[in-house]
Amino acid sequence: MDHQPYIPGMSPADPGPLSRFTPPLEEGVISRWLPLHAPPSPALAPGASVDAAQGKPGSWLLDPFGFSPRLVLEAARMGYRVLVTVNNPITRFLLEMSANPPPEADFKAALADLAVLKKGDERLGVHLQSLYLTTCEKCEQQIQADLFLWRKGEDAPYARVYTCPHCGDAGEHMVTPEDAERARKIAATDSLHRSRSFERVAALNDDVRFYVEEAIEHYLPRPLYFLTTIINRLDRLDLTPERKRALYALILVACDAGNTLWGYPSERPRPKQLNIPNQFREFNLWNQLERGLGIWTETASGVAIEAWPKVIPESGGISIFDGRLKDLAHEVDKEIPIAAVIGSVPRPNQAFWTLSALWAGWLWGKEAVEPFKIALRRRRYDWAWNATALNAAFTHLLEILPLDTPFFGLVPESEPQFLTSVLTAAAAAGFDLHSLALRTEHDAIQLLWRRGEHLRRETNDADIDDVRSAMYEHLVERGEPASYLHVHAAGLIALLETHALKKRNQEFDEALRMTQSLMQKALQEDERFIHHSSGDGVDTGLWGLNIRPERSEAQSKDDNQQAIELQTNKRDSSVALLPPNDMYESLSDRVEVAIVTFLQKNPNSIYLEIEDDLYPQFPGLLTPSKAIIYAVLQSYAERTSAAWSLRPEDVASARRNELNNITSMLEMIGTRLGYETSKEDRNTLWQEGGQTAYAFHVLASALVGRAIHETPYPPEKTILVLPGGRAALAAYKAQRDPTLAARMKKIRIVKYRLLRALVEVPVLTRETFEEQITRDPLEKSTAQLMMF
Ligand SMILES: [Zn+2]
């Protein structure tokens, strides 16, 4: 497998509508991937073959999942024609609205039209807003609450949050008796509204009614009253088609805001299950309708969008296939050359699926609930179900696509079992994985498949030693502990390469279970691996290699030899557990060197340029996180407007001079304290009677791990000397690497400025020197020394 560099993008400034449920993807990724794998070519010559059309803007892409409107829009804007299969009316509506939203004026007019409808003698807008009236604690005026806070199972909220437009009082306050009374009053008529709200969605004898009821359970009486009051008037409104779309879009935002799946404080902001949090927020839904106006109009883009098979322009656009991929196979055949497949791979989400059915019914009536029925009845949202469904999709794709067609798959919220499910499903259908790029568990994994040969493949039994070797090699290559997801991915790739993820005729259920237990066994029953806990026993989620912490001079010479023995005789636990020497080149050290080298040559670079230089050097599972990149930049560089440059003192020539100065100071101080000083390689030694008292290792970088490894002196006599600007970076590295932290504890680390200060001290004794170097903690990089 030839892993591709991770393609960096930007977090969207505005997460967009229903962002709790749409895939969290960076923007700008697909527009950088497409030219690489479906590159633009000169205009098609007359008589050119269909193959030549591949990759030309205007040629076709296919998104078989239709789950990420933004991904599809970005590709369409690049000039591609994107065929999207969608069978969730809510996702379809999101896509249509994002591609081609009504003008802002229509949103405003639609909301105004709604507000002036009558509810008894009142205007509907006034009536609905009165549901959220509360009294300002400070000026006692009647105002609108922004939200109420509830505890699960209670019949009234316990707190309210508002910003008073009259006196400016703002924040969270306890509810008043009137607030509680208002909530209870609406609840008194609840059963009527609740049963009405079913009617629009499912017939009385419909067997999906049970699931719809379950979804409605996640609406409190007030938001349910609010929503049904509006929805029951929808048919009576005489709106232009554009205004109607605008109003539906606003209501959809209120439907999402109106349920109880808004924990407080927000611990799990992306719900997967219909579970009521112990404390939750109840939003003022009128405010949410108004907020929806901003959400939808900000997505405005004006991309051509049509229902398949209506023609879309060659300059790019979106063609929606309303149905299943299976049915598309008959339609598309080989007539449309698909240049590439793109898509955010969907994961099981019971909450979104069930709520979508409810919302679709509320907005468009019973027929809109039809596509959900199979899934609602099946009611399985586990990984085996996910793998089975994905496998079916991949199998249909194999029929549609020409051999070798690239497939760029994004896997957001990439937990280990999700990745297992995705890779197993694709492999079993005949897609060959060419690359897996993983940054952190918070970023989408980037996968590149190609449509493989249409033949039955050999499948093999999984070999635990293959998995262990792959995990071990990844940790050695990384040179520092990794998240479980990284180690798991390394193991999965090994199984994939040996065709051992799933046997033919094996159920996904069983295959996934076997893979999972194999992964656990590989790590837990092998002494080479350790699971790191933090000092107070909290799980760090990190896996590393079991490095013997105590080192003597004699041992270090044997490291390589022992590591070689270890690799040739893996199971013999009597062999010392030492990884090879290059383990001391940790990923974060290499990233530090790479960034400094780049900035040395390219001052005034923006962050994306730094990522662009870095990621090809560290492809696949080694992709550095944004956190480590920023830690290095903050240590070495400064930013003017958007561009980063090395600090003047960190330019190579300045650092070399400084290194020499510090070395001279060390000799000066040593001589004053009555030691014989000498230099040996990069170390300055203070000796007495032939015995080494102190060995100083002066660094310009934060490559602490390597420095400790290279210093042949006993830890209690070793002192690393760093620039003050590196202290925070070294501390950060210790934080992400418990093994390094343990090794750093055994030696002492002081900053340049301590030595500069000590040179100035008129009377310096060996005792005060010892005291000072012990009192210069790494974490504190602010000057607070020299109290004498
Ligand atoms: Zn007030």
Side-chain angles (χ1 to χ4, degrees), residues 261-446:
L261 302 180
W262 294 91
Y264 181 82
S266 174
E267 277 154 7
R268 294 175 62 91
R270 298 184 55 84
K272 305 284 183 292
Q273 305 285 330
L274 288 175
N275 287 328
I276 302 178
N278 288 328
Q279 290 192 144
F280 58 89
R281 291 165 283 175
E282 182 209 350
F283 293 104
N284 177 328
L285 291 189
W286 190 266
N287 286 358
Q288 293 296 316
L289 288 178
E290 288 175 340
R291 187 184 70 105
L293 219 140
I295 294 182
W296 287 107
T297 49
E298 269 165 38
T299 62
S301 73
V303 167
I305 183 162
E306 293 290 353
W308 171 268
K310 274 193 194 155
V311 180
I312 50 168
E314 273 192 37
S315 55
I318 299 166
S319 177
I320 295 190
F321 183 79
D322 196 353
R324 288 180 298 170
L325 201 54
K326 186 169 86 180
D327 308 319
L328 182 69
H330 306 297
E331 300 252 353
V332 172
D333 211 6
K334 301 288 189 280
E335 295 299 310
I336 292 182
I338 305 280
V341 180
I342 59 172
S344 178
V345 185
R347 55 167 293 155
N349 189 325
Q350 180 231 4
F352 182 58
W353 203 247
T354 316
L355 288 171
S356 289
L358 177 65
W359 301 339
W362 276 349
L363 290 174
W364 300 293
K366 293 188 188 71
E367 307 84 77
V369 186
E370 285 300 322
F372 295 98
K373 287 193 171 169
I374 296 172
L376 285 178
R377 281 191 207 108
R378 198 181 288 123
R379 266 190 96 67
R380 283 188 61 187
Y381 296 94
D382 57 22
W383 296 116
W385 172 80
N386 179 247
T388 310
L390 288 175
N391 178 253
F394 279 103
T395 305
H396 296 310
L397 275 177
L398 202 81
E399 300 302 321
I400 301 171
L401 301 174
L403 183 67
D404 243 20
T405 308
F407 183 157
F408 187 51
L410 293 156
V411 183
E413 303 179 81
S414 46
E415 56 186 286
Q417 305 227 58
F418 186 20
L419 185 60
T420 307
S421 160
V422 174
L423 294 188
T424 309
F431 279 80
D432 299 322
L433 186 69
H434 284 246
S435 169
L436 185 158
L438 160 58
R439 193 163 59 186
T440 73
E441 54 262 78
H442 309 293
D443 303 300
I445 297 178
Q446 299 178 354

Side-chain angles (χ1 to χ4, degrees), residues 136-141 143 162 164-169:
C136 173
E137 194 130 305
K138 206 164 153 199
C139 72
E140 299 189 347
Q141 301 238 39
I143 56 168
Y162 62 74
C164 176
H166 307 293
C167 72
D169 185 32

Side-chain angles (χ1 to χ4, degrees), residues 539-550:
D539 185 354
T540 59
L542 292 173
W543 283 87
L545 292 177
N546 205 349
I547 301 169
R548 187 193 300 149
E550 296 79 22

Side-chain angles (χ1 to χ4, degrees), residues 188-253:
T189 59
D190 185 50
S191 59
L192 177 69
H193 302 294
R194 212 159 277 269
S195 63
R196 271 199 199 150
S197 72
F198 295 134
E199 280 164 26
R200 207 176 156 85
V201 182
L204 204 60
N205 57 354
D206 196 321
D207 62 353
V208 297
R209 196 179 164 91
F210 171 80
Y211 310 110
V212 172
E213 281 180 7
E214 188 186 23
I216 294 180
E217 284 302 304
H218 292 77
Y219 285 82
L220 289 171
R222 177 162 36 200
L224 191 72
Y225 173 76
F226 185 104
L227 291 167
T228 51
T229 302
I230 293 178
I231 288 162
N232 288 332
R233 280 167 177 74
L234 279 182
D235 301 334
R236 277 182 256 158
L237 271 169
D238 185 22
L239 296 175
T240 63
E242 285 297 89
R243 284 193 190 174
K244 191 171 174 186
R245 284 211 305 144
L247 184 59
Y248 277 40
L250 298 180
I251 295 171
L252 186 57
V253 169

Side-chain angles (χ1 to χ4, degrees), residues 595-616:
I595 293 175
V596 174
T597 307
F598 177 76
L599 285 181
Q600 194 80 43
K601 290 183 198 144
N602 305 280
N604 282 312
S605 295
I606 61 165
Y607 183 81
L608 270 176
E609 291 168 332
I610 297 166
E611 278 184 318
D612 274 343
D613 176 72
L614 208 55
Y615 288 172

Side-chain angles (χ1 to χ4, degrees), residues 438-477:
L438 160 58
R439 193 163 59 186
T440 73
E441 54 262 78
H442 309 293
D443 303 300
I445 297 178
Q446 299 178 354
L447 301 171
L448 171 62
W449 287 287
R450 284 185 183 277
R451 192 264 205 207
E453 295 281 356
H454 203 188
L455 41 88
R456 300 196 116 196
R457 285 140 195 262
E458 283 296 311
T459 57
N460 299 311
D461 287 335
D463 182 347
I464 195 162
D465 285 336
D466 291 337
V467 173
R468 285 186 172 134
S469 303
M471 290 170 163
Y472 179 81
E473 275 158 29
H474 175 62
L475 287 170
V476 169
E477 199 182 4

